[in-house]
Amino acid sequence: MAQGTKPMFVGAGRHHEVFVSGRHWRTRGDALLTAVAAAFTLLQLLLVRPSMGLGWDEVVYVSQVGTEAPAAFFSAPRARGVPLLVWPIASWSDSTVLLRVFLAVLSGLALYLALRVWRRLFPARVLAGAGALFTTLWITLFYGPQAMPNLWVAFGALICVGCFVRARRDRFDHRALWGVLAGALLMAWMRPTDAVWVTMPLLGLAVAARHWRLGSALATGLFAGGVQWVIEAYIGYGGLRERLNEASRIQGDLGWNLAVDDQLRSLVGSTLCRPCDIATPHVTVFAWWLVVPLLAAYGLRVAVRAGRTARSLIPLACATTAAFPYLFLIGYAAPRFLLPAYALLAVPVADALFHVVTTPNGRWRPAVAAVVGLVLTGHLVVQYSVLDRTVDRITAARDAWARTATELHRLGVRPPCLLTGHEAIPVAYYAGCASGATNGHNANTTRADILRTTRRVPVGVLTRPGHEPPHHARDWELHRLDGLDVRIAPTPLAGGTA
């Protein structure tokens, strides 16, 4: 052993007990986590096409800082974390490919950092396994390169919870305190309400155990990440309560709603199940969803028997509160809502799997390992199949928006311009126009304002084929474009005034 290098103990519970040099242990562990993070980035670039256009929600976020089109309406539930996340690219480039590559690399780096904070709590192979389990879900891969908040809440949750457990075990671990603050800040920056749900057990534990420094770090992170959202609530909505009420209304009035079955059905590749009236998918699609809680419970049992209960119980508790509103309080489903819960569950689940395939002295059980490996291989095949179909379907839909925008340009609807009606927000972004709505969740204008705008710039109304347009647009020129009826206002007179 090299002089000055302290021996480090690798393993806990039933993991193989072996002493190696601290430097070798750290290098090997870092290599494992780096490999998982690099594979995550590579799989995103290979399986989720960087050329895939921006989705509806992405358009809203990117347009706040981008140059492609005027900023779309920013509704009450949304937070400014994603616009700031994409600002380094979107503020000067309209390249979707460049933005997706940037986000894929950034999410790979975030995964590495999120797993690394757990290094003092679990062996590196468990953490690498947790990362592999989480990142091979079709949901994680699909949203890795997208400008959406949920995966970043998941990374923040891993960082915050892992550092919380570390700081609770070692009051001299000052880096862990900063990690708690940073993780909470990231979550609140992306989705303040999700951050509160994730950290409920942590706040309760900090108060109950009188860990005031730990509680202060957590509260400071939540405040720093959410203060802008709160200030915006008072400026634009009349107060925090009013913004929360408006957010609840947009999300279908939060209350007791059993959405477990909706979330299960959405696993087939439905990115938004509202209303969730699709058929229940084949059992191979959702079997993992039923197995994960059982493995998590087994992982907790292992931790209790090994005398390290908190390391598994705390992330399980946070995963439960993170999932609760999306399983029981909301009337629709989207698989991405549960990404923070999946990320937190991955660590105890990976720990449980390693205990299943190894003996108490750390030796492999060949037969059991072979069965588990076969099951995981089948799981990966199913995940890839769902991802492939989802990417194909979503890409086709976004290509249709781009084609509609091209046709609008051909018809004379060019920036500056205004589009209203069905799917106006994404189509307007692709066309470089502003978007508007007189009713619904994204209402931001009036009929009188729209009519005044027709005197200055091209204005179009989009409707589903066969649906009646607004009364003021019934006499406008009708064009049928790629699944949409488009009515264009008469060309404004040169030098016309509002």
Side-chain angles (χ1 to χ4, degrees):
M1 183 178 298
Q3 184 176 1
T5 303
K6 295 182 179 179
M8 303 254 330
F9 177 72
V10 179
R14 289 171 51 194
H15 289 294
H16 182 47
E17 299 181 6
V18 58
F19 287 88
V20 293
S21 72
R23 181 175 300 173
H24 174 73
W25 183 80
R26 286 192 299 269
T27 301
R28 185 167 176 240
D30 284 347
L32 278 173
L33 300 187
T34 300
V36 171
F40 177 45
T41 293
L42 182 61
L43 286 173
Q44 291 177 59
L45 298 176
L46 292 176
L47 302 179
V48 186
R49 302 159 195 164
S51 59
M52 182 175 65
L54 297 180
W56 185 309
D57 293 287
E58 289 186 290
V59 160
V60 175
Y61 289 123
V62 173
S63 67
Q64 307 303 310
V65 295
T67 59
E68 182 78 0
F73 178 72
F74 206 77
S75 61
R78 303 186 188 276
R80 301 285 174 175
V82 173
L84 197 53
L85 182 73
V86 302
W87 175 82
I89 301 297
S91 62
W92 60 272
S93 174
D94 60 3
S95 171
T96 301
V97 172
L98 182 59
L99 180 62
R100 299 232 181 274
V101 171
F102 169 74
L103 290 174
V105 172
L106 200 60
S107 60
L109 177 61
L111 174 68
Y112 170 79
L113 294 174
L115 292 175
R116 202 181 188 293
V117 303
W118 291 81
R119 282 286 302 278
R120 296 185 183 182
L121 305 172
F122 288 93
R125 65 177 183 173
V126 170
L127 300 178
L133 289 173
F134 177 58
T135 59
T136 51
L137 294 175
W138 76 262
I139 313 156
T140 312
L141 282 170
F142 183 72
Y143 285 105
Q146 296 202 49
M148 297 289 282
N150 310 86
L151 183 59
W152 293 92
V153 175
F155 292 143
L158 276 174
I159 292 170
C160 183
V161 175
C163 288
F164 184 95
V165 177
R166 279 176 45 182
R168 183 175 173 273
R169 291 176 66 240
D170 180 3
R171 63 190 182 91
F172 296 107
D173 191 347
H174 301 298
R175 289 185 179 182
L177 282 176
W178 285 105
V180 169
L181 189 154
L185 185 151
L186 178 59
M187 288 189 289
W189 186 32
M190 292 293 169
R191 287 186 71 86
T193 51
D194 282 12
V196 172
W197 281 103
V198 170
T199 57
M200 275 184 180
L202 306 184
L203 289 166
L205 186 57
V207 172
R210 298 185 179 181
H211 290 298
W212 303 124
R213 287 201 308 164
L214 197 47
S216 297
L218 186 58
T220 300
L222 292 173
F223 174 81
V227 64
Q228 188 276 334
W229 196 83
V230 173
I231 292 173
E232 194 174 66
Y234 284 95
I235 294 175
Y237 296 89
L240 180 59
R241 181 177 179 179
E242 286 73 13
R243 183 169 193 173
L244 289 171
N245 288 339
E246 176 67 8
S248 174
R249 185 188 67 80
I250 289 174
Q251 294 175 307
D253 291 323
L254 298 182
W256 184 254
N257 288 294
L258 185 63
V260 176
D261 55 337
D262 292 343
Q263 284 289 351
L264 185 146
R265 285 195 292 269
S266 72
L267 295 174
V268 74
S270 175
T271 55
L272 181 62
C273 213
R274 186 179 190 181
C276 204
D277 51 6
I278 61 177
T280 301
H282 191 272
V283 65
T284 55
V285 172
F286 63 81
W288 69 271
W289 210 61
L290 305 177
V291 172
V292 162
L294 300 178
L295 285 172
Y298 178 67
L300 178 59
R301 177 175 177 269
V302 168
V304 170
R305 294 181 64 182
R308 49 182 178 84
T309 304
R311 301 185 204 181
S312 293
L313 179 59
I314 292 176
L316 287 177
C318 293
T320 301
T321 56
F324 182 82
Y326 296 114
L327 294 177
F328 300 107
L329 298 181
I330 192 169
Y332 61 97
R336 59 187 171 87
F337 292 161
L338 296 180
L339 280 171
Y342 297 151
L344 292 169
L345 287 169
V347 176
V349 166
D351 190 38
L353 282 174
F354 273 108
H355 279 81
V356 168
V357 300
T358 57
T359 63
N361 63 2
R363 295 180 181 275
W364 289 99
R365 291 172 167 153
V368 177
V371 172
V372 171
L374 185 63
V375 171
L376 288 176
T377 300
H379 168 70
L380 292 179
V381 170
V382 173
Q383 293 300 304
Y384 168 77
S385 177
V386 175
L387 177 65
D388 189 53
R389 292 196 305 268
T390 303
V391 170
D392 283 345
R393 186 183 73 254
I394 297 300
T395 299
R398 296 176 186 181
D399 286 347
W401 291 338
R403 289 193 299 271
T404 298
T406 299
E407 286 299 304
L408 286 170
H409 288 169
R410 185 182 62 80
L411 294 170
V413 181
R414 299 186 182 91
C417 45
L418 171 68
L419 294 179
T420 67
H422 179 62
E423 295 187 338
I425 286 179
V427 174
Y429 179 82
Y430 280 75
C433 301
S435 57
T438 58
N439 52 56
H441 301 324
N442 299 301
N444 63 343
T445 189
T446 65
R447 175 178 175 272
D449 286 337
I450 293 172
L451 291 176
R452 280 195 294 269
T453 303
T454 64
R455 305 173 192 169
R456 297 182 284 107
V457 301
V459 176
V461 172
L462 313 178
T463 58
R464 294 187 180 94
H467 283 62
E468 286 293 321
H471 182 76
H472 64 268
R474 290 179 181 175
D475 296 330
W476 293 1
E477 185 179 0
L478 172 63
H479 302 270
R480 302 190 187 281
L481 306 178
D482 219 326
L484 287 173
D485 285 353
V486 181
R487 288 172 171 82
I488 301 175
T491 304
L493 297 175
T497 57

